[in-house]
Each structure stands twice: as C-alpha cells, then as structure tokens.
Amino acid sequence: MAVKRVKGSLLSHASKRGSLAGYRLGWSHGLRYGKSEAVIRSQPPQHLPVRDFSVLLVTSGMGYPFSPIDHAVTNAMKKQVRKLQVCSPKDDIVAVAAQFRPTLVIVLLGTHMPVTTVASLKLLGIKTAIWYSDDPYYTDTTRNTAIYYDFVFTNELSCVEFYRQVGCRHVYHMPLAVDLNAFRPMKPKRGYYSDICFIGSAYWYRVEFFNKIAPYLIKQDVKIFGWWWQRLSLYSRLARSIRTEWLSPEETARYYNGAKIVINLHRSPDDETFNKNSSRVAALSTNPRTFEICGTGAFQLTDARLDLPSHYTPGHDLITYTSAEDLVNKLNYYLEHEEERNQIALNGLKKTVRDHTFDQRVRALLSILAERLVL
C-alpha cells in the first residue's frame, strides 16, 4: 500500500506541475492578447477622404492567397469612393462599364483579364489601372500586359523601373498590407499553441534553408504548414510537426497568435520551377506575411529584404536574421526572453495598425490617381 501511495503522490505531483505550466502558458497568452488589444484601441481614428470617383473594381478571380486581397481592397474602396461596382474577370466587363460609366477601372492582379478587354475600355474613353500583387515572380507575363494600362501599381519596388523600361509611363510602388478583419490579435485555443511557427509553401529555396535548421527544429515545439514539405531531408523526423496543407487567413491568424515566435522566410525570385521571371528581376520588397504576422501582434523573425526598413524598424518592430545559424541563435535567445519578445511584437503591431492597413494603401493609390486624372 505504501508503494501505491508514493506512486499516486508522484503522479498527483506531476499532474499539478502540468496544470501549473498550462496555467502559466494560458496566462502568458492572455496577457499578450490584452496588451495587443490595448495597442489597437489606443490608435486614433484615421481620416479617409471620399474621392469623387466612380470605380469599377475587377477582382483577381483567383483563390487563396489572392481572394483575401480582393476582399480587403473591396472593403477599403467602399469607404473611399463615391460609387463602386465590383466585377470578376469572368463577367462582361465592357458591358458593365458601358452602363456604369466609371471614372476608371482598377484591376487586381490581372492574370485573367484579357488585354482585349482593356483595349475595349479605352475605346469607351475609360482610364484603366492595374495593381500587381505577385511581382516579381511572373514578370514574363506581366511585362506583356502592363503596357495596356494607363496606370501601373506594383507590390515590388524593383518592378517600377522594369515596367518603365517596357514602355509604361505611370508606374508606382504600392506595397500590400494587412486586413485587420482577418489578421488581428485574438485568444487562440490551446491546440494552436507552439513555440515556433512557420506557414508557407516549401519552395526549393525554403527547403534548402529548412534542411539546415531541421536538426534544431526536431527538438522544439514547432508547427509548420504548407504544400510540399515532404521534400525536407528530415521530413520523417519532423512529420509530427508538419501539416502539408494550406490554411485559410483565419486559421493562419490563430496559429500566429498561438506562437511565441513566427518565422518569415521570403521566396526566391530565381526559382525556375515555380517562377516566370526569366529577366531575373530582383525581389527587394517585403512579402504580405510581414504585415500579417505583425498585424496579429505576434513576434516575427524574418529574413531582411532591402525595402524592409521603409516599413518597419528592425530590432524594434521585428527581428531579422541573416543565416540559418543566426536564426537558430535568435530563436534560442527570444524563446528565453519573453518580456523583450512581447514588447517587440507590440511595437510591430502598433506600426502595422498605424501605417500598413489596406485602408491606408487604397487611400495612397487613390491620391496618386486623383493627381493624374483629369476629371
């Protein structure tokens, strides 16, 4: 009986320790959420001028990851133009435009928008603009369509000069942003918790990088989501931490919120397997995930692109790494320094809410067009 009591006592003690650890983890997540919400609520309301435009907005006609951009831009545009009509590339856009008579037609992505349709809109005397959101990865295609538009906006800084060289007169850098309706601080359920999280497809550049850090990740509480991660050399040992599927924006945001650290690793512009970028246009601009991770109030460790300091202050709003070894060192450091980690995440959230929402991007886009259009 004495042995049984000792075993029971030990089990009870272990159970109490587990409960205490779980309580502390939940408390930590709750505290982070509360501070994040306070940051959002402390931001003053922003003035969004309503332009005297009637806009025909043509969505990408694509699924994820472009459909959330369609949704976010549509919502932002509704607040800032006098009239808005939204079409899919599958609609009879010329007929809609002939009846609606918009000030201009704005096309998102444009992959499924025939250039003959753009030419027909010009014959109606309607100005056209396109906002490319996946540059520079498909410039072999976009270089042949951009020339048909009166105004070209691109998410990639290096593509401004690229489009000018192919004959476009009015080209502007317009980064993407965060949709705070989807990517915002929240209280995730325990199943979303992790120490380290990465969400994204396993392009070969990423596989090569993750092969270097896989021996470290095997020993960590890590969650990885995305297509093709079976390519990892140590996939069998990491499989318990990987789901080879794509997540909705809402699910992605929950996993970001549940992670102590979110890794961001940009895709390579030189991947011949997936890209159509034979001109080797450089990738200088930050990806949408940079804004989305910060928008959830999560702590971000990212590789640094040249344009990053235009949006965030490395070391204050997020942390950058330069190599696999550097990333592992910083993962170890920031997992041990919770207070510092959470403060940096709050800084990134504040900067995002203030400067990097789709409301602000659409306002900047419409401001440029207002200066150029003769109404």
Side-chain angles (χ1 to χ4, degrees):
M1 293 295 294
V3 174
K4 289 183 179 179
R5 282 200 298 271
V6 169
K7 285 185 177 180
S9 175
L10 289 174
L11 288 172
S12 176
H13 187 58
S15 177
K16 287 179 181 178
R17 286 203 309 269
S19 297
L20 182 60
Y23 170 79
R24 287 173 175 168
L25 185 59
W27 183 86
S28 176
H29 277 282
L31 181 63
R32 185 196 69 83
Y33 168 74
K35 289 184 176 181
S36 297
E37 275 297 308
V39 165
I40 291 178
R41 294 175 186 178
S42 69
Q43 297 304 302
Q46 297 200 6
H47 174 64
L48 297 173
V50 179
R51 301 285 178 180
D52 190 25
F53 291 173
S54 55
V55 173
L56 175 57
L57 180 67
V58 182
T59 63
S60 70
M62 306 278 282
Y64 192 77
F66 300 105
S67 52
I69 298 173
D70 293 338
H71 182 72
V73 173
T74 298
N75 286 340
M77 198 75 69
K78 285 178 181 176
K79 305 172 190 175
Q80 300 184 55
V81 298
R82 178 172 50 85
K83 291 182 181 180
L84 178 67
Q85 176 78 41
V86 181
C87 284
S88 160
K90 297 179 181 179
D91 296 328
D92 189 342
I93 294 169
V94 176
V96 173
Q99 182 176 8
F100 184 55
R101 301 303 302 183
T103 306
L104 84 155
V105 173
I106 299 177
V107 178
L108 300 179
L109 189 63
T111 301
H112 298 305
M113 181 71 164
V115 293
T116 52
T117 299
V118 183
S120 296
L121 292 170
K122 287 192 174 185
L123 291 176
L124 292 175
I126 299 172
K127 296 292 185 180
T128 59
I130 188 163
W131 187 358
Y132 291 118
S133 54
D134 206 22
D135 280 339
Y137 307 110
Y138 300 97
T139 50
D140 292 351
T141 300
T142 59
R143 70 182 301 156
N144 298 320
T145 59
I147 194 66
Y148 286 86
Y149 292 88
D150 297 299
F151 304 96
V152 175
F153 296 88
T154 172
N155 65 291
E156 173 52 55
L157 183 63
S158 66
C159 280
V160 173
E161 183 59 28
F162 173 78
Y163 289 129
R164 286 174 179 165
Q165 289 180 359
V166 299
C168 302
R169 292 182 57 200
H170 303 295
V171 188
Y172 308 92
H173 178 217
M174 190 58 60
L176 295 176
V178 65
D179 179 5
L180 289 176
N181 292 312
F183 294 93
R184 62 173 294 118
M186 62 183 71
K187 295 179 182 177
K189 294 180 181 178
R190 189 174 181 84
Y192 293 96
Y193 289 2
S194 67
D195 284 353
I196 301 167
C197 178
F198 178 82
I199 300 176
S201 296
Y203 298 111
W204 286 113
Y205 173 77
R206 287 176 175 165
V207 170
E208 181 182 349
F209 187 92
F210 268 76
N211 278 336
K212 297 175 183 177
I213 65 172
Y216 171 82
L217 295 179
I218 289 169
K219 305 172 185 176
Q220 308 302 319
D221 174 19
V222 61
K223 284 183 167 64
I224 298 173
F225 301 88
W227 295 319
W228 312 315
W229 284 106
Q230 300 94 327
R231 295 168 171 167
L232 282 176
S233 58
L234 294 178
Y235 174 75
S236 61
R237 297 180 63 188
L238 267 172
R240 60 181 174 79
S241 301
I242 297 174
R243 279 170 51 186
T244 54
E245 61 185 85
W246 201 254
L247 300 179
S248 69
E250 293 75 19
E251 279 288 275
T252 298
R254 292 186 187 103
Y255 282 106
Y256 285 167
N257 272 277
K260 293 179 181 178
I261 297 176
V262 179
I263 297 173
N264 187 9
L265 177 62
H266 291 74
R267 61 187 284 190
S268 169
D270 300 327
D271 190 331
E272 295 181 356
T273 308
F274 297 100
N275 299 341
K276 296 180 180 179
N277 181 26
S278 61
S279 298
R280 295 291 190 270
V281 180
L284 307 178
S285 295
T286 55
N287 60 14
R289 293 194 185 278
T290 307
F291 305 112
E292 292 166 355
I293 295 167
C294 284
T296 64
F299 174 83
Q300 179 172 180
L301 267 172
T302 182
D303 56 332
R305 283 195 169 169
L306 186 66
D307 195 37
L308 179 64
S310 300
H311 307 297
Y312 294 101
T313 302
H316 183 265
D317 303 320
L318 42 66
I319 299 297
T320 60
Y321 59 87
T322 57
S323 65
E325 181 182 8
D326 187 37
L327 174 59
V328 169
N329 289 337
K330 287 175 177 175
L331 286 168
N332 278 327
Y333 177 85
Y334 285 104
L335 284 174
E336 293 295 324
H337 293 79
E338 180 180 11
E339 210 171 299
E340 185 177 355
R341 184 180 76 229
N342 288 343
Q343 184 57 57
I344 292 170
L346 288 174
N347 295 341
L349 174 62
K350 185 175 182 179
K351 177 69 70 67
T352 303
V353 174
R354 190 186 70 193
D355 296 336
H356 302 307
T357 68
F358 274 102
D359 280 348
Q360 290 143 348
R361 295 291 189 263
V362 168
R363 181 179 61 184
L365 184 146
L366 293 175
S367 177
I368 291 170
L369 293 171
E371 292 176 0
R372 295 292 183 181
L373 288 171
V374 179
L375 301 180

